[in-house]
Amino acid sequence: MNWTQTIFEVIDMRSFSNLWFWIALAVVWSSASHYVLGVPFDMITRARRHGGEAQQDLEDMVRINVNRILYIGQVSGLLLMGFVCFVLTALAILGFFYGVEFAQAVFLIALPMSFVGALSVRTAGRIAREAPEGEALHRRLIRHRQAVQFIGMASIFVTALWGMWKNLDRSFLFNTF
């Protein structure tokens, strides 16, 4: 037995039966819903409760991150979108046409995260145009967070269904009938 065979026996390389994949999926979605346009959600909550300096810090942080997101979108948005579409297409072909389970797993994380990225650019544009302050800014950020959480819940549900199907498909019991 060679060393690569030993590694692949110790570390299960099938993504949907690997605990690390599910931990990574949870971390990705909890981070995506915690950081609203790059602003930690606890900062939004603190600004809603206390106002004053916390509100000013929130508005400054939102302004900085909105400008950063819009700058990236203006400078390299088209190139970035083309690259993301290429990677997603390659993952979909490798995963669902050629049956590479790792590509399927990455695709099931990357596709919904690309929707979150597009939603973030859209929300950043609306904030830059409307320049909301105070409660209007809080509502906009919370609405964005709820949309990200909805995308995350749908993504986790679809990924769990697909992962259960792949695990059942490979199991001895399922293949005997």
Side-chain angles (χ1 to χ4, degrees), residues 14 165-177:
R14 293 183 308 132
W165 171 255
K166 293 302 286 184
N167 287 334
L168 285 173
D169 189 40
R170 290 194 180 240
S171 73
F172 173 74
L173 182 64
F174 194 68
N175 287 326
T176 58
F177 294 111

Side-chain angles (χ1 to χ4, degrees), residues 14 41-43 54 59 61 65 83 87 96-97 110 144 150:
R14 293 183 308 132
F41 187 70
D42 61 289
M43 194 173 198
E59 290 175 2
M61 187 90 150
N65 285 331
F83 180 72
V87 169
F96 299 104
F97 185 72
H144 175 79
F150 177 76

Side-chain angles (χ1 to χ4, degrees), residues 5-20:
Q5 215 172 7
T6 305
I7 288 174
F8 284 116
E9 283 184 12
V10 172
I11 302 171
D12 187 9
M13 296 306 281
R14 293 183 308 132
S15 299
F16 298 111
S17 62
N18 194 332
L19 178 64
W20 291 109

